[in-house]
Amino acid sequence: LRPFFTIEAGRIFDADEGSLLRAACAIECVHTYSLVHDDLPCFDDAAMRRGVPSVHHKFGQPLAVLTGDALIVLAFETLAHDVELTPQKLASLLMIVCRATGMPHGIAAGQAWELEETIPLRQYQRAKTGALFVAATTAGAVAADANPAEWTALGELIGEAYQIADDIRDAVSTMEEIGKPVFQRLHRALAL
């Protein structure tokens, strides 16, 4: 979904397809890193992801950590290889992906909230899920020379809706239906 929103936001303004695809790929690399790390024993300890063994379950924890780290680097490398981007666009895209990945409001921050005794739900959802949807919509706008600020609210709303739907699905589905362990987040929330 995230790459889709990047591409569609840019297509509205007839952005260069190559730049849109590279931005979308960078965002998906960050998303995939987050899933690999989220499945680790120190977080969700999920043996399955999308119906197949998680990376750490199949290849071990050290390779899972390195895989996630390599995907982060690949995201930035993908953006850096875009020769069509002006220096200003490249700097803007790099900042968008940095903010969505790190602290204090990106995926790393969202993951850190899971280590706390109490979780401010809206702040957690915006970091854990919303940050990358914001990155998706704003990156598409930047690639098209549009104002990214006008796309922030859309990304936030999509991210919040997605996280709520994912939490509901986690609570009412079976592992066979969604391809990963269920009740993970619910059990953590009840334990708090």
Side-chain angles (χ1 to χ4, degrees):
L1 283 176
R2 293 147 194 88
F4 169 81
F5 285 115
T6 302
I7 292 168
E8 292 306 309
R11 281 185 178 160
I12 289 172
F13 302 101
D14 294 323
D16 173 69
E17 285 290 318
S19 294
L20 283 177
L21 287 174
R22 281 184 281 283
C25 287
I27 288 170
E28 188 56 25
C29 284
V30 171
H31 177 238
T32 304
Y33 118 76
S34 74
L35 298 179
V36 172
H37 281 190
D38 195 43
D39 289 341
L40 287 166
C42 60
F43 294 113
D44 286 354
D45 196 15
M48 301 291 286
R49 171 69 67 175
R50 296 180 178 155
V52 298
S54 60
V55 176
H56 84 272
H57 191 72
K58 187 166 184 173
F59 300 105
Q61 291 180 52
L63 282 179
V65 170
L66 293 172
T67 297
D69 294 350
L71 284 164
I72 295 169
V73 173
L74 182 59
F76 295 105
E77 183 181 336
T78 300
L79 291 174
H81 279 295
D82 192 347
V83 296
E84 301 298 319
L85 289 176
T86 64
Q88 181 57 40
K89 272 191 195 179
L90 178 57
S92 294
L93 286 171
L94 288 171
M95 287 303 294
I96 286 168
V97 176
C98 284
R99 288 182 180 136
T101 305
M103 299 291 241
H105 305 293
I107 293 172
Q111 197 68 48
W113 278 118
E114 291 185 5
L115 304 174
E116 297 296 324
E117 287 189 32
T118 59
I119 299 173
L121 187 59
R122 183 162 245 177
Q123 210 171 346
Y124 163 72
Q125 289 174 335
R126 282 190 172 171
K128 178 81 184 222
T129 304
L132 210 49
F133 279 104
V134 169
T137 57
T138 58
V142 166
D145 289 321
N147 182 356
E150 295 174 0
W151 291 83
T152 301
L154 176 62
E156 288 173 348
L157 291 171
I158 292 168
E160 192 170 348
Y162 183 90
Q163 187 61 56
I164 290 168
D166 195 49
D167 289 343
I168 291 169
R169 196 173 70 149
D170 183 58
V172 301
S173 298
T174 65
M175 187 167 127
E176 292 75 25
E177 290 172 325
I178 63 174
K180 65 179 184 176
V182 294
F183 297 113
Q184 297 278 29
R185 286 184 214 97
L186 182 61
H187 284 152
R188 275 198 308 267
L190 292 175
L192 303 174

